[in-house]
């Protein structure tokens, strides 16, 4: 019958009309900014640098290896290595970035820098409300703006942060165990050396970076 | 034009080869049709540019249409407004760094683009993704196919003047699937999820249950969509018999994807190549008989139902295990010299990547076979003799995304 | 004198609200006889314009929110509670926009076109009975006046297209006129069936003819509840959608594929006038549909006649407008040649057939054997349904509508 299809269609729209008043599956509008949906855990917007503890300078995990700068597809990271070194989380002296800039007008949030970082130093933030009135300088985030504490990382990506912490703790435990074994061997060698026979000193192994 | 003629002047045929532009003048990329001496309102041909800014072309796309009254006499698509040098950029960066750029090719279907690229590199280097990764790839690809076809039908109806109602329903469903993508890869559209040898990260907790919920509710939505649309007399009147593409012309013009199957040619790469683990899934390939716009619309509806079947089985059968080939390297990836062409059945057609490697970390040549562009070459043949009002609908049924056409 | 004036005003308002005749007489008696007609006219016209203006504002808001809910989203809800003040914001926007006129356009005609559209539409409001004693102009040939004035709106469409000096506007305007003229004919013929049965061209008498109840006051005698009336009503509704350029017949005014229509070169207040006139046209034709088929200002059940008559009129009018909005949210647009085919090859024969069926219904009213009503209904319904199916099939003959089968390859 001519017109039957249109009438069926109209019944469909009427169902949606009435459904939008009582069925949350139909009326899916969320009135931002008064209501907000909770962010997904994996959501990513732009990178940030993680530091352990309270001091952004002392606890910064980044050692300015510049791997992320090389691997970034649009080349939006600018790093300048420092001249001196500072101790990292296991106590080894490492370089640190004197300048670490990310141009977020270029960054395409691809997360490759996070994947290739061997030191768990750069992670993805999920803040999207980043409007600025300065189109050029305002969108170039420097080290101070990028450095955020580990607690922030735990807040936005709890599962991933726990995993990372576990890995770093395991690394640290391994290094400490090795240092203790080295110290014991040295003490034994010193005791043996005091007895006269020179003991071979095992070469210290550098801590291996955790798998990416 | 003879002056003082009694009968109306005959329409002069379009010159087949326009006169070549003199050296140093004009643009070598197009020629302007020779102007007639008479006035346009005499019934002579009317040339219209349906310009890059238009509410109904899917992106920045221009069509130079020559009309005789209401009928289309000549149509020339002009594109390139979104060209971003994707292939040249890929020659200067590593293989991994090209992966986020492939997201932005066909920006509706980023996961299938990722898979096609990963497939080509895996063919080049011989990496083998493990079982779980293959299942995840199939699941995400079929979800992408659902997203693409739903949105396409919404946009087609929007072009026809349905004022956004089917489009809003389509986008409501798309949101559930985009939520899935966001919890999986971190981003709704630019997922950057596949890697050479597997997937980047494993499924988070609760993802499979959420995906199962979405897939279980999809057939109800498809039924609702069909009730609204398929028997609607106006839709039928506007799409049946419009934009017919005969099968032999489609094959000769390298059309692939739902357009080809709507013309009746049985060619689905998931059955032909059996890439990934598609040979384990039992799904049918719908074929059309007439090759008109209605067939292209119906084929996509039926394909969505088949995708739901594949998703059901994949979500049930997915095993546990690793998601990356242990031989795969993230940094310092240098495939041996050689070439490979990897292709998948993307939602729009055959999406292929052709890579030539010379042993260095950057590819020597990186070429994308864009299904939208190749399906677009036949637009003129489909539109000749149709009304100008149908040109937009035919363009909508070709399903182009300018990111892919222009790269 | 002031006391008489205020007394007169109160009486006028009270009598209007409670459906009593001679509402204005006490108020007018205060004025000298010479100016009484003028004051009477002003008193009649201003509430009409104000009321329909308010209804227009409300309808634009209702349309946006209704379409929003159909599409599973909220409509405008930021300006005022529930978006009530949105029409005010829209009005301010339209008024303060720059008025751009093409340099080569014909300025006089360009200015006159929206005026030539609004004026006949408002004139058409004059003959509709809004309540028991609320008819602005009692005219024995009211329906004829309505159609005459309504047809002159098509002239303004052409004026708009012509004055813009734009090839595409002109073509769009010609298409729009073709559409409007083609749909005038089924519109008028379907109302002729009502005029024939009621025996008069006056809307007041047509409403009075529908003013009785059957079955103990529960079934009204509205013409829509007869087979020919139902068909006529449906034809009238479809034609009125086309006359007011609403979906699915909104080719003239949609952001169309190619030709942007006769409204291309209009901006600012003139565009607002076109917009206003389109909605007023919808109200006018809707009001005529209510008068002809839905019983005007009568209540559906006799017991509910205590509710004032104009309330019923407005309720029925808003029901029709909601139906229009519902249709707009559901169906896509027809192509121009399909639209004209539909008018000439389907609606016109059906409306002529409707005339014959109306006559048969009228002349079989004398049958009084038991279940004569059922037999009459069956006879008339068959006389309409059979040609409807045949015509429908003939219209879709070239394609097998939605009955295609698809084969699968494995």
């Amino acid at each position: 019958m001519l017109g039957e299809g249109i009438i069926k269609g109209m019944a469909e729209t009427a169902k949606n009309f009435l459904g939008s008043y009582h069925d949350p599956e139909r009326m899916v509008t969320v009135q931002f900014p008064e209501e907000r949906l909770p962010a997904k855990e994996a959501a990513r917007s732009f990178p940030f640098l993680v530091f352990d503890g309270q001091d952004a300078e002392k606890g910064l995990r980044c050692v300015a290896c510049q791997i992320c700068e090389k691997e970034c597809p649009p080349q939006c990271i600018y790093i300048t290595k420092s001249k001196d070194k500072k101790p990292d989380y296991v106590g080894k002296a490492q370089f640190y970035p004197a300048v670490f800039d990310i141009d977020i007008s270029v960054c395409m949030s691809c997360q490759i820098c996070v994947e290739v970082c061997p030191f768990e130093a750069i992670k993805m933030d999920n803040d999207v409300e980043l409007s600025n009135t300065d189109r050029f300088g305002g969108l170039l985030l420097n080290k101070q703006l990028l450095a955020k504490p580990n607690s922030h990382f735990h807040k936005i990506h709890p599962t991933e942060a726990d995993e990372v912490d576990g890995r770093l703790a395991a690394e640290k435990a391994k290094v400490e165990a090795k240092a203790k074994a080295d110290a014991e061997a040295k003490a034994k060698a010193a005791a043996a050396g005091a007895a006269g026979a020179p003991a071979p000193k095992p070469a210290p192994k550098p801590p291996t970076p955790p798998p990416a | 034009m003879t002056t003082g003629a009694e009968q109306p002047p005959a329409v002069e045929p379009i010159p087949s080869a326009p006169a070549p532009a003199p050296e140093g003048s004009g643009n070598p990329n197009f020629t302007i049709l020779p102007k007639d001496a008479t006035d346009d309102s005499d019934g002579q041909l009317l040339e219209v540019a349906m310009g890059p800014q238009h509410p109904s072309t899917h992106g920045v796309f221009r069509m130079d249409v020559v009309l005789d009254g209401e009928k289309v006499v000549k149509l020339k698509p002009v594109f390139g407004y979104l060209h971003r040098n994707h292939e040249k950029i890929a020659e200067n960066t590593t293989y991994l760094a090209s992966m986020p750029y492939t997201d932005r090719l066909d920006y509706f279907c980023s996961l299938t683009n990722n898979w096609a690229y990963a497939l080509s590199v895996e063919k080049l280097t011989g990496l083998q993704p493990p079982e779980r990764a293959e299942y995840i790839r199939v699941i995400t690809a079929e979800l992408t196919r659902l997203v693409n076809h739903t949105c396409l039908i919404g946009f087609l109806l929007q072009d026809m003047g349905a004022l956004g109602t089917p489009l809003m329903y389509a986008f409501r469903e798309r949101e559930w699937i985009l939520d899935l993508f966001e919890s999986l890869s971190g981003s709704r559209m630019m997922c950057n999820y596949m890697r050479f040898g597997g997937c980047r990260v494993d499924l988070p907790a609760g993802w499979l249950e959420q995906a199962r919920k979405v897939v279980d509710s999809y057939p109800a939505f498809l039924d609702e969509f069909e009730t609204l649309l398929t028997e609607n007399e106006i839709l039928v009147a506007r799409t049946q018999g419009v934009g017919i593409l005969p099968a032999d012309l489609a094959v000769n013009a390298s059309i692939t994807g739902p357009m080809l199957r709507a013309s009746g040619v049985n060619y689905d790469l998931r059955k032909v190549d059996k890439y990934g683990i598609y040979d384990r899934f039992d799904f049918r390939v719908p074929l059309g008989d007439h090759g008109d716009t209605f067939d292209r619309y119906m084929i996509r509806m039926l394909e969505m139902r088949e995708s739901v079947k594949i998703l059901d089985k994949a979500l049930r059968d997915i095993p546990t295990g690793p998601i990356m080939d242990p031989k795969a390297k993230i940094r310092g990836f240098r495939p041996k010299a050689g070439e490979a062409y990897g292709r998948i059945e993307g939602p729009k057609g055959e999406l292929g990547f052709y890579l030539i490697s010379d042993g260095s970390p950057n590819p020597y040549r990186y070429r994308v076979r864009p299904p939208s562009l190749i399906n677009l070459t036949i637009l003129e043949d489909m539109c000749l003799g149709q009304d100008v009002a149908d040109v937009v609908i035919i363009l909508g049924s070709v399903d182009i995304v300018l990111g892919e056409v222009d790269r | 004198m002031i006391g008489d004036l205020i007394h007169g005003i109160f009486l006028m308002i009270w009598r209007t609200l409670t459906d009593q005749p001679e509402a204005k007489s006490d108020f007018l008696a205060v004025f000298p006889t010479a100016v009484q007609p003028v004051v009477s006219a002003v008193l009649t016209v201003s509430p009409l314009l104000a009321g329909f203006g308010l209804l227009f504002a409300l309808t634009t808001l209702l349309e946006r929110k209704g379409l929003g809910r159909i599409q599973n989203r909220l409509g405008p809800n930021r300006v005022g509670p529930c978006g009530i003040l949105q029409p005010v914001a829209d009005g301010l926007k339209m008024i303060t926009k720059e008025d751009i006129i093409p340099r080569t356009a014909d300025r006089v005609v360009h200015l006159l076109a929206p005026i030539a559209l609004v004026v006949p539409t408002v004139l058409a409001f004059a003959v509709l009975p809004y309540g028991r004693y609320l008819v602005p102009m009692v005219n024995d040939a009211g329906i004829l006046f309505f159609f005459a004035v309504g047809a002159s709106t098509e002239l303004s469409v052409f004026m708009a297209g012509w004055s813009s000096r734009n090839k595409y506007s002109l073509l769009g305007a010609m298409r729009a006129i073709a559409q409007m003229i083609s749909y005038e004919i089924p519109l008028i013929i379907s109302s002729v069936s009502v005029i024939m049965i009621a025996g008069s061209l006056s809307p007041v008498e047509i409403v009075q003819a529908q003013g009785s109840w059957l079955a103990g006051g529960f079934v009204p005698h509205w013409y829509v509840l007869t087979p020919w009336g139902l068909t006529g009503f449906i034809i009238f509704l479809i034609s009125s959608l086309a006359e007011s350029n609403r979906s699915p017949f909104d080719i003239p005014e949609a952001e169309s594929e190619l030709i942007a229509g006769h409204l291309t070169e209009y901006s600012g207040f003139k565009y607002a006038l076109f917009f206003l006139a389109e909605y007023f046209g919808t109200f006018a034709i809707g009001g005529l549909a209510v008068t002809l088929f839905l019983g005007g200002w009568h209540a559906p059940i006799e017991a509910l006649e205590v509710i004032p008559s104009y309330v019923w009129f407005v309720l029925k009018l808003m029901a029709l407008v909601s139906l229009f909005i519902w249709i707009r949210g559901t169906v896509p647009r027809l192509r121009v040649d399909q639209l004209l085919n539909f008018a000439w090859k389907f609606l016109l024969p059906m409306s002529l057939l409707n005339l014959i069926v109306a006559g048969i219904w009228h002349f079989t009213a004398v049958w009084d054997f038991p279940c004569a009503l059922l037999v009459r209904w069956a006879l008339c319904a068959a006389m309409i349904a059979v040609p409807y199916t045949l015509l429908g099939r003939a219209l879709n003959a070239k394609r097998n509508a939605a009955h295609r089968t698809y084969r699968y390859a494995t």
Side-chain angles (χ1 to χ4, degrees):
Chain A
M1 190 183 76
L2 186 71
E4 188 176 348
I6 296 186
I7 296 187
K8 273 206 249 185
M10 285 175 64
E12 201 51 60
T13 24
K15 201 162 72 157
N16 268 296
F17 178 81
L18 296 170
S20 76
Y21 281 102
H22 62 85
D23 188 0
E25 294 274 309
R26 296 246 179 238
M27 174 57 75
V28 292
T29 311
V30 167
Q31 298 199 55
F32 193 88
E34 288 95 17
E35 313 166 356
R36 280 159 206 263
L37 287 174
K40 306 261 177 329
E41 184 181 333
R44 58 179 201 252
S45 70
F46 292 111
F48 73 97
L49 292 172
V50 187
F51 64 85
D52 296 310
Q54 306 293 79
D55 190 342
E57 294 288 324
K58 274 217 310 250
L60 199 66
R61 289 186 195 167
C62 174
V63 301
C65 62
Q66 291 175 304
I67 292 180
C68 57
E69 192 181 15
K70 275 200 281 284
E71 296 284 333
C72 173
Q75 313 260 295
C76 67
I77 303 183
Y78 308 101
I79 300 179
T80 310
K81 244 184 171 101
S82 63
K83 299 280 188 286
D84 57 332
K85 296 197 182 188
K86 70 165 177 60
D88 70 353
Y89 71 103
V90 290
K92 182 165 178 315
Q94 303 268 24
F95 287 111
Y96 61 91
V99 170
F100 194 112
D101 287 342
I102 295 186
D103 188 351
I104 59 172
S105 63
V106 175
C107 171
M108 55 175 174
S109 312
C110 65
Q111 212 172 7
I112 286 184
C113 52
V114 172
E115 260 181 86
V116 299
C117 176
F119 296 96
E120 316 279 355
I122 188 169
K123 296 292 173 193
M124 289 309 268
D125 207 350
N126 66 357
D127 187 16
V128 289
E129 298 177 17
L130 294 165
S131 329
N132 208 305
T133 48
D134 178 7
R135 205 183 339 152
F136 303 103
L139 292 177
L140 183 71
L141 304 181
N142 57 15
K143 194 170 61 159
Q144 277 75 30
L145 291 170
L146 286 172
K148 298 216 172 123
N150 198 13
S151 50
H152 176 78
F153 185 34
H154 271 277
K155 198 159 60 137
I156 53 177
H157 300 302
T159 333
E160 197 183 335
D162 283 336
E163 244 180 295
V164 167
D165 278 353
R167 270 205 295 270
L168 290 180
E171 252 326 295
K172 192 160 176 184
K174 206 160 59 165
V175 167
E176 280 178 353
K178 230 196 76 34
K180 206 157 65 167
D182 278 351
E184 281 175 0
K186 223 177 356 174
K188 260 218 294 258
K201 255 213 295 250
K205 227 171 23 157
T208 52
Chain B
M1 274 303 296
T2 62
T3 53
E6 298 300 337
Q7 60 270 33
V11 173
E12 291 185 342
I14 311 258
S16 52
E23 272 77 27
S25 80
N27 191 326
N29 291 327
F30 61 84
T31 50
I32 300 183
L33 287 180
K35 278 212 183 312
D36 226 87
T38 59
D39 196 25
D40 271 343
S41 62
D42 230 27
Q44 290 294 325
L45 308 171
L46 183 67
E47 180 170 359
V48 179
M50 297 176 62
Q53 298 158 316
H54 198 279
S56 304
T57 59
H58 299 234
V60 277
F61 178 65
R62 189 174 89 185
M63 288 187 279
D64 282 336
V65 182
V66 177
L67 300 174
D68 176 16
E70 286 265 331
K71 302 274 179 222
V72 171
V73 165
K74 183 170 189 295
L75 183 146
K76 200 164 125 118
V78 177
F79 40 83
Y81 293 94
L82 196 53
H83 182 67
R84 297 162 290 178
N85 289 315
H86 173 50
E87 295 178 359
K88 188 66 184 173
I89 288 178
E91 285 177 20
N92 293 328
T93 54
T94 58
Y95 287 86
L96 178 63
S98 290
M99 184 61 95
Y101 289 105
T102 60
D103 279 340
R104 288 145 168 93
L105 274 179
D106 169 6
Y107 35 79
F108 271 105
C109 319
S110 66
L111 284 162
T112 44
N113 297 349
N114 286 349
W115 189 2
Y117 182 47
L119 196 71
S120 321
V121 174
E122 284 159 15
K123 271 203 184 157
L124 188 63
T125 53
L127 290 167
Q128 259 311 99
E131 280 282 301
R132 187 171 165 91
E134 292 278 22
Y135 270 93
I136 294 180
R137 283 180 172 185
V138 166
I139 292 173
T140 45
E142 293 305 315
L143 282 174
T144 313
R145 197 180 310 271
L146 285 179
V147 157
N148 184 3
H149 287 336
T150 317
C151 289
L152 176 82
I153 295 178
F155 281 121
L156 186 65
L157 266 293
Q158 167 80 357
D159 289 343
M160 268 195 248
L163 274 179
T165 309
L167 186 62
M168 289 292 137
Y169 297 163
F171 269 62
R172 187 188 70 211
E173 292 307 312
R174 179 175 176 249
E175 285 297 314
W176 306 126
I177 300 183
L178 288 185
D179 278 347
L180 282 177
F181 288 166
E182 192 179 10
S183 40
L184 177 63
S185 74
S187 165
R188 283 152 52 103
M189 272 168 73
M190 306 298 152
C191 296
N192 187 16
Y193 180 64
M194 311 285 178
R195 292 285 177 264
F196 316 129
C199 303
R200 177 170 68 83
V201 81
D202 206 346
L203 304 174
W207 196 86
L208 279 175
E209 283 71 39
Q210 186 66 24
R212 224 164 261 140
K213 230 175 21 172
V214 170
V215 170
D216 286 338
S217 69
Y218 222 81
F221 162 68
L222 284 179
D223 288 333
E224 191 185 293
F225 223 31
E226 268 200 63
T227 321
L228 181 61
L229 299 175
T230 306
E231 289 186 33
N232 191 330
E233 281 82 11
I234 298 182
L235 176 80
V236 162
R238 289 215 66 182
T239 54
Q240 283 193 357
V242 165
I244 295 186
L245 181 66
D248 49 352
L249 184 60
V251 170
N252 282 341
S254 332
I255 309 288
T256 49
M259 266 183 81
L260 181 66
R261 294 194 281 278
S263 301
V265 179
N266 178 11
Y267 190 72
D268 185 335
L269 286 175
R270 297 176 286 177
K271 298 275 190 190
V272 166
D273 269 358
K274 298 200 194 16
Y275 59 94
I277 44 168
Y278 271 110
D279 46 357
R280 299 188 203 176
F281 295 100
D282 181 24
F283 62 99
R284 303 177 297 178
V285 173
L287 298 172
D289 285 320
H290 300 256
D292 57 8
T293 308
F294 189 77
D295 267 351
R296 292 192 273 268
Y297 153 78
M298 260 326 266
I299 292 291
R300 290 185 167 101
M301 278 302 231
L302 297 172
E303 272 190 16
M304 279 201 275
R305 295 195 189 265
E306 301 295 322
S307 287
V308 167
K309 277 202 273 201
I310 298 179
L311 274 169
D312 260 335
K313 185 158 193 285
L315 284 170
R316 273 200 311 267
D317 293 347
I318 180 169
T320 50
I323 51 160
M324 274 295 271
D325 188 348
K327 293 201 298 287
K329 282 204 295 189
I330 296 286
R331 295 193 53 222
F333 180 68
R334 281 171 184 262
K336 287 200 287 294
E339 61 183 28
Y341 178 66
R343 58 185 188 163
I344 61 158
E345 177 72 24
K348 297 187 161 52
E350 170 187 329
L351 174 63
F353 283 80
Y354 175 60
L355 292 166
I356 302 183
S357 154
D358 57 356
S360 69
N362 303 353
Y364 175 75
R365 172 75 173 115
Y366 169 105
R367 155 89 181 141
V368 180
R369 182 210 186 269
S372 302
L373 174 61
I374 299 191
N375 290 353
L376 198 57
T377 54
I378 207 71
L379 185 67
E380 180 172 7
D381 289 282
M382 282 196 292
C383 290
L384 285 181
Q386 307 281 342
D387 282 354
V388 68
D390 291 331
V391 168
V392 176
I393 297 189
I394 298 175
L395 180 67
S397 74
V398 171
D399 192 3
I400 62 170
V401 165
L402 263 297
E404 203 172 48
V405 169
D406 290 340
R407 280 158 287 133
Chain C
M1 162 92 163
I2 302 291
D4 274 340
L5 210 61
I6 298 182
H7 183 64
I9 292 178
F10 270 125
L11 271 184
M12 185 167 67
I13 296 178
W14 174 248
R15 284 186 189 148
T16 315
L17 286 179
T18 54
D19 264 353
Q20 287 174 30
E22 301 295 319
K24 294 185 295 214
S25 47
D26 276 298
F27 181 70
L28 286 177
V30 177
F31 292 90
T33 329
V35 296
Q36 272 183 11
V38 177
V39 177
S40 174
V42 169
L43 281 177
T44 313
V45 168
S46 19
L48 199 67
L49 283 182
F52 273 109
L54 199 65
L55 204 62
F56 160 68
L58 200 65
T59 307
T60 49
L61 181 67
L62 193 74
E63 172 146 31
R64 287 174 70 171
K65 287 196 85 75
L67 279 180
R69 288 275 168 177
I70 288 179
Q71 297 169 1
N72 296 144
R73 57 182 174 88
L74 304 163
N77 66 348
R78 296 272 153 179
V79 192
C82 275
I84 289 273
L85 297 178
Q86 181 73 32
V88 175
D90 281 343
L92 280 176
K93 172 196 84 168
M94 289 283 198
I95 294 176
T96 54
K97 263 198 186 172
E98 181 188 354
D99 193 18
I100 303 175
I101 306 180
R103 205 183 320 145
T104 51
D106 189 341
R107 298 186 83 97
V108 175
V109 182
H110 195 86
L111 176 65
L112 281 182
I115 300 178
L117 186 58
V118 174
V119 167
T121 322
V122 173
L123 270 181
F125 282 144
V127 289
L128 296 176
Y130 301 106
R132 206 180 302 270
Y133 299 105
L134 293 174
V135 188
M137 174 170 88
V138 177
N139 191 338
D140 268 345
I143 307 280
L144 183 62
F145 176 79
F146 187 95
F147 283 125
V149 148
S152 63
T153 56
E154 294 158 21
L155 178 67
S156 84
V157 167
F158 192 66
M159 284 166 72
W162 178 264
S163 66
S164 304
R165 274 290 193 112
N166 181 347
K167 187 164 35 174
Y168 305 131
S169 296
L170 185 63
L171 287 174
M174 297 220 253
R175 273 190 187 169
I177 294 177
Q179 171 187 320
M180 289 168 98
I181 291 183
S182 323
Y183 279 90
E184 284 280 341
I185 301 184
L187 192 75
I188 295 182
I189 298 186
S190 58
S191 54
V192 164
S193 56
V194 171
I195 296 170
M196 213 167 68
I197 300 293
S200 153
L201 274 173
S202 161
V204 177
E205 286 190 31
I206 293 179
V207 170
Q208 275 169 351
Q210 300 180 60
S212 49
W213 283 266
L214 316 166
F218 280 101
V219 176
H221 198 243
W222 298 350
Y223 290 139
V224 76
L225 296 175
T226 57
W228 59 270
L230 189 60
T231 320
F233 183 55
I234 294 176
I235 297 177
F236 196 92
L237 275 187
I238 298 177
S239 311
S240 58
L241 275 179
E243 285 295 309
S244 21
N245 290 340
R246 286 188 70 91
S247 221
F249 305 109
D250 62 349
I251 298 206
E253 65 161 31
E255 324 91 39
S256 160
E257 306 91 22
L258 173 62
I259 295 175
H262 57 283
L263 295 178
T264 330
E265 306 286 355
Y266 282 91
S267 57
F269 192 59
K270 293 187 196 154
Y271 186 77
L273 277 182
F274 268 110
F275 200 54
L276 180 84
E278 184 206 307
Y279 275 90
F280 273 10
T282 313
F283 292 147
I285 290 199
L288 188 68
V290 167
T291 311
L292 289 177
F293 294 97
L294 288 179
W297 40 260
H298 283 292
I301 305 178
E302 190 161 18
L304 291 175
E305 279 276 301
V306 289
I307 298 179
S309 50
Y310 48 87
V311 172
W312 287 113
F313 186 86
V314 171
L315 279 179
K316 291 179 200 172
L317 184 63
M318 292 318 287
L320 276 188
V321 167
S322 312
L323 181 68
F324 288 170
I325 295 175
W326 186 10
I327 295 182
R328 182 179 188 203
T330 313
V331 289
R333 214 178 285 147
L334 276 177
R335 209 172 55 207
V336 142
D337 57 327
Q338 291 166 348
L339 204 142
L340 298 175
N341 263 353
F342 184 63
W344 290 98
K345 294 189 190 165
F346 185 80
L347 284 185
L348 180 60
M350 287 303 294
S351 52
L352 287 173
L353 186 66
N354 199 31
L355 280 182
I356 300 177
V357 171
I360 292 183
W361 179 270
H362 181 72
F363 284 117
T364 57
V366 293
W367 292 354
D368 58 355
F369 53 87
C371 37
L373 195 63
L374 234 53
V375 171
R376 287 166 72 206
W377 256 97
L379 178 67
C380 294
M383 280 198 65
I384 292 178
V386 171
Y388 171 73
T389 347
L390 291 177
L391 268 179
R393 246 180 244 154
L395 205 63
N396 288 336
K398 282 203 299 275
R399 36 194 129 65
N400 39 351
H403 288 302
R404 291 186 174 183
T405 50
Y406 289 89
R407 53 198 170 90
Y408 290 91
T410 44

